[in-house]
């Protein structure tokens, strides 16, 4: 029998008052896969992510995680948004240890050390969040929710507020961080390049109410990173997706 998708949405429809925001969205994400969701400003991307997280209920349709209905939020499917915050009074190390400790892991040492290392922040472990740069804080916010090893990760334009160079470094960092994990990731972005650099598949949404316009498989050899940006296949794919976006 096939494994159930790590996350699946079927016929998800949602309105706020009379304004329909999501219209019959179907999607599925497998363990270890990054699904990039690309859509125009205001089309309903964050709403979709909140529905997938269980923070909001769809009017119609169904969301399942690992085969079980999603009806409420859970640390099993954390959502990280732009400018996500850490606990300001805790050191970086204690911020990362917070989740495992809350679930009864008194020490949480090994996973925190591994995440600090993977995040390049070992030397900053004893600093408070306000002593970190914006890029460091954003990496730490993603590392914090990964400390409990969630099967799903929901990212809402996590690098939107960063300058282009920091953003590329962060994208490379995230690719590396997710590469050896079984986490199923949904990455919402309005940036075509980001969607193609990080996504294994790209789901394109229409203007509001958001419908799935098409799905593109992004077949680019790992490891992906800055060199991918000049790979002729990446360049061609980007041009083709951009043309579709501009025609829409
Ligand atoms: N809680 C809410 N109550 C009422 N309307 C809402 C609510 N949340 C979102 N909306 C409306 O739903 C529509 C979609 O919003 P949403 O934030 O999901 O879009 P988005 O694609 O994430 O936008 P952006 O690209 O700006 O991030 C907008 O018209 C917004 O005003
Ligand atoms: Mg949004």
């Amino acid at each position: 029998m096939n494994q159930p998708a790590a996350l699946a949405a079927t016929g998800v429809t949602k309105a706020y008052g009379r304004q329909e925001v999501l219209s019959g969205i179907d999607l599925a994400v497998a363990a270890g896969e990054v699904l990039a969701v690309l859509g125009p400003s205001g089309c309903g991307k964050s709403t979709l992510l909140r529905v997938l997280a269980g923070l909001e209920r769809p009017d119609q349709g169904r969301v399942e995680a690992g085969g079980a209905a999603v009806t409420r939020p859970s640390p099993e499917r954390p959502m990280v948004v732009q400018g996500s915050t850490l606990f300001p009074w805790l050191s970086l190390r204690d911020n990362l240890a917070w989740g495992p400790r809350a679930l009864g892991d008194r020490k949480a040492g090994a996973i925190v050390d591994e995440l600090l290392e993977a995040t390049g922040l070992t030397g900053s472990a004893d600093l408070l969040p306000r002593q970190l740069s914006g890029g460091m804080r954003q990496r730490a916010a993603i590392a914090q929710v990964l400390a409990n090893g969630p099967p799903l990760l929901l990212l809402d334009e996590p690098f939107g507020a960063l300058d282009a160079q920091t953003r590329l470094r962060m994208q490379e960092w995230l690719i590396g961080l997710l590469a050896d994990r079984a986490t199923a990731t949904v990455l919402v972005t309005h940036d075509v390049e980001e969607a193609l650099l990080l996504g294994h598949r790209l789901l394109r949404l229409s203007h509001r109410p958001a419908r799935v316009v098409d799905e593109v498989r992004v077949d680019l050899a790992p490891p992906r990173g800055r060199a991918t940006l000049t790979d002729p296949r990446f360049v061609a794919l980007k041009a083709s997706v951009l043309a579709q976006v501009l025609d829409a």
Side-chain angles (χ1 to χ4, degrees), residues 16 19 21 39-48 50 56 156-157 188 190 208:
Y16 290 114
Q19 185 183 65
V21 177
S41 186
C43 76
K45 302 182 294 299
S46 297
T47 304
L48 173 62
R50 287 198 303 271
E56 300 211 40
D156 193 357
E157 312 220 24
V188 157
H190 54 232
R208 197 177 61 237

Side-chain angles (χ1 to χ4, degrees), residues 36-122:
V37 176
L38 182 74
S41 186
C43 76
K45 302 182 294 299
S46 297
T47 304
L48 173 62
L49 221 49
R50 287 198 303 271
V51 169
L52 297 177
L55 291 162
E56 300 211 40
R57 300 294 303 274
D59 299 331
Q60 287 169 43
R62 192 175 160 77
V63 179
E64 288 185 0
V70 168
T71 54
R72 56 173 185 268
S74 156
E76 301 267 283
R77 41 180 178 277
M79 180 164 158
V80 177
V81 302
Q82 199 181 99
S84 272
T85 50
L86 300 161
F87 298 115
W89 59 90
L90 292 181
S91 69
L92 176 57
R93 176 184 299 283
D94 286 339
N95 262 289
L96 297 194
W98 185 85
R101 283 180 188 152
L103 293 184
D105 179 351
R106 297 291 296 272
K107 296 197 213 84
I111 178 74
V112 170
D113 285 343
E114 187 223 309
L115 281 166
L116 282 168
E117 171 93 37
T119 311
L121 292 174
T122 304

Side-chain angles (χ1 to χ4, degrees), residues 11-31:
V12 164
T13 294
K14 172 135 194 102
Y16 290 114
R18 284 210 209 137
Q19 185 183 65
E20 195 182 11
V21 177
L22 303 175
S23 177
I25 305 257
D26 294 332
L27 61 80
V29 198

